């Protein structure tokens, strides 16, 4: 049955759903939350939590990447951010947090105009490795060819190629595009790549040999892509479509499983629950972790789109401070808005609906239930 809607006589569009449009439905069985497992594994790396920190300067520093890793998640450092442009960006992070709204974009463009220093990429990744946690760093597709060898030589465990959107067939008349399939084949480390938001785009990325695919386009709290470019992918539909591509690629490849990681629109505990319910193996979160007392953004949140030199498609937004990183992950919760105890909420939802692990929970029943959060 088609869910296409007629926009006008010359245009039809498929109805798509965000996380706010759906809800998880209890089943005939319930469980004790203490019996629920939320661990997952990608390649040789096991994590106790299905939480990957977005590579954004407001979220991740080397110290917070280590802290999240020690809690059981995965911190991904932005290797094009302030920590690889400046020896000590602490003062600049404090300045960004104090900027007046009308000054923020212009001043951030000036700050991020400083060149990336390869030796700082090496230094930051070694700082994370010295703490004994899994080391992950991210580059945009545009910077990957320039800096990937530095990243590999520094000893990264997981390599993330993250852009607003990433395709396996980028076309350019100005520069040699990154050949993802050849690039991933030649690397000795697992690669997570994205974002993708459709079945076809994700299937092509899976065929490049990626270990994981990031799902999302312009859905984060700090993005203005929808109003700047008119492009947006509602996350519930996007995750479900990419999960279908994972299923079909599993058959096509003879059993190769590619992990689906929801990236964007996962700002509160209920979003995390619904992302897994739609088929995600893990979630990449930004705003949720930017609310931590330890977060470098000091209550503010922004991504690389906010300081793009030609076309900013994001902004610095105030997310406030909800509690410590440990409280955001494990509670206790002091308010009923889904900002604290993300892991406890996921376990409670899985237990309430009768599922014992994440793979089982991907089969939970969902309904379309539009809801406008307060």
């Amino acid at each position: 049955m088609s869910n296409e809607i007629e926009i006008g006589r010359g245009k039809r569009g498929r109805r798509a759903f965000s996380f706010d449009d759906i809800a998880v439905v209890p089943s005939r069985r319930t469980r004790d939350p203490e019996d629920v497992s939320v661990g997952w594994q990608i390649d040789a790396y096991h994590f106790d939590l299905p939480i990957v920190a977005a590579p954004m300067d407001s979220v991740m520093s080397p110290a917070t990447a280590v802290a999240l890793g020690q809690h059981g998640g995965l911190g991904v450092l932005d290797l094009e951010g302030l920590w690889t442009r400046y020896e000590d960006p602490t003062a600049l992070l404090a300045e960004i947090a104090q900027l007046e709204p009308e000054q923020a974009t212009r001043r951030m463009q000036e700050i991020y105009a400083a060149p990336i220093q390869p030796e700082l990429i090496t230094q930051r990744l070694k700082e994370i490795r010295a703490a004994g946690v899994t080391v992950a760093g991210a580059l945009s597709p545009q910077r990957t060819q320039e800096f990937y060898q530095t990243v590999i030589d520094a000893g990264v465990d997981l390599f993330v190629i993250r852009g607003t959107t990433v395709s396996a067939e980028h076309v350019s008349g100005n520069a040699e595009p990154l050949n993802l399939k050849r690039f991933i084949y030649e690397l000795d480390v697992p690669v997570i790549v994205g974002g993708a938001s459709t079945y076809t785009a994700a299937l092509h990325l899976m065929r490049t040999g990626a270990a994981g695919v990031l799902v999302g386009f312009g859905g984060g709290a700090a993005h203005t892509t929808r109003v700047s470019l008119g492009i947006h992918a509602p996350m519930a539909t996007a995750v479900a479509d990419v999960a279908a591509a994972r299923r079909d690629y599993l058959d096509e490849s003879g059993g190769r499983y590619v992990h689906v990681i929801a990236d964007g629109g996962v700002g509160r505990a209920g979003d995390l629950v619904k992302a897994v319910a739609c088929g995600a193996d893990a979630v990449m979160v930004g705003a949720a972790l930017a609310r931590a007392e330890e977060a470098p953004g000091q209550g503010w949140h922004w991504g690389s789109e906010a300081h793009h030199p030609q076309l900013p498609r994001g902004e610095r937004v105030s997310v406030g401070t909800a509690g410590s990183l440990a409280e955001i992950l494990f509670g206790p919760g002091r308010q009923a808005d889904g900002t604290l105890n993300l892991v406890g909420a996921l376990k409670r939802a899985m237990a309430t609906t009768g599922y014992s692990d994440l793979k089982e929970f991907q089969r939970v029943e969902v309904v379309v239930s539009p809801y406008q959060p307060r």
Side-chain angles (χ1 to χ4, degrees), residues 24-340:
V24 173
V25 179
S27 67
R28 63 181 177 85
R29 180 184 292 116
T30 57
R31 292 183 184 273
D32 186 329
E34 295 302 315
D35 295 336
V36 169
S37 169
V38 294
W40 72 298
Q41 181 162 330
I42 181 167
D43 202 82
Y45 302 99
H46 175 83
F47 302 96
D48 294 334
L49 312 179
I51 294 177
V52 182
M56 304 167 82
D57 279 341
S58 57
V59 179
M60 282 287 102
S61 65
T64 53
V66 168
L68 181 61
Q70 291 172 339
H71 284 306
L74 174 64
V76 183
L77 190 67
D78 180 8
L79 301 180
E80 301 173 36
L82 296 181
W83 293 95
T84 60
R85 296 174 191 260
Y86 297 92
E87 186 68 39
D88 184 2
T90 306
L92 292 170
L93 287 162
E95 179 187 348
I96 291 173
Q98 298 297 322
L99 290 172
E100 296 296 328
E102 62 273 11
Q103 301 172 336
T105 298
R106 183 184 297 273
R107 177 57 182 145
M108 289 170 69
Q109 287 174 330
E110 294 171 352
I111 291 172
Y112 280 89
I116 298 168
Q117 302 180 46
E119 63 273 18
L120 286 179
I121 292 178
T122 301
Q123 178 181 327
R124 302 312 184 196
L125 293 175
K126 287 186 175 180
E127 289 173 16
I128 299 171
R129 177 168 294 283
V133 301
T134 302
V135 183
L139 290 172
S140 66
Q142 296 82 2
R143 297 279 196 173
T144 294
Q145 299 211 74
E146 183 179 359
F147 292 114
Y148 84 90
Q149 194 59 57
T150 300
V151 176
I152 298 302
D153 291 344
V156 73
D157 295 316
L158 291 165
F159 186 68
V160 179
I161 303 175
R162 183 178 188 255
T164 305
T165 187
V166 176
S167 74
E169 299 180 21
H170 179 65
V171 178
S172 173
N174 300 316
E176 179 68 23
L178 176 67
N179 185 322
L180 272 175
K181 188 169 186 176
R182 185 178 65 195
F183 176 80
I184 292 173
Y185 177 78
E186 292 175 353
L187 288 185
D188 292 329
V189 300
V191 178
I192 299 170
V193 62
S197 57
T198 66
Y199 171 94
T200 302
L203 188 59
H204 280 281
L205 288 179
M206 291 172 186
R207 288 169 177 164
T208 67
V213 172
L214 300 172
V215 184
F217 189 103
H223 284 257
T224 60
T225 307
R226 183 170 185 170
V227 296
S228 298
L229 300 183
I231 305 175
H232 176 60
M235 283 295 290
T237 296
V239 172
D241 282 349
V242 176
R246 176 187 60 202
R247 177 199 62 210
D248 292 349
Y249 179 71
L250 188 69
D251 292 338
E252 174 188 305
S253 63
R256 184 172 181 272
Y257 188 92
V258 179
H259 292 81
V260 173
I261 303 171
D263 179 12
V266 189
R268 299 178 187 271
D271 302 319
L272 167 57
V273 170
K274 289 183 274 191
V276 177
C278 287
D281 298 291
V283 297
M284 177 171 276
V285 293
L289 298 181
R291 299 187 183 102
E293 293 168 355
E294 302 93 324
Q298 302 174 38
W300 293 88
H301 182 47
W302 66 90
S304 59
E305 298 83 5
H307 49 78
H308 191 282
Q310 285 89 35
L311 183 61
R313 303 175 310 282
E315 57 188 352
R316 184 201 60 161
V317 297
S318 176
V319 294
T321 299
S324 68
L325 178 60
E327 289 172 328
I328 285 173
L329 294 174
F330 307 114
R334 295 186 298 273
Q335 54 264 358
D337 61 358
T339 59
L340 297 175

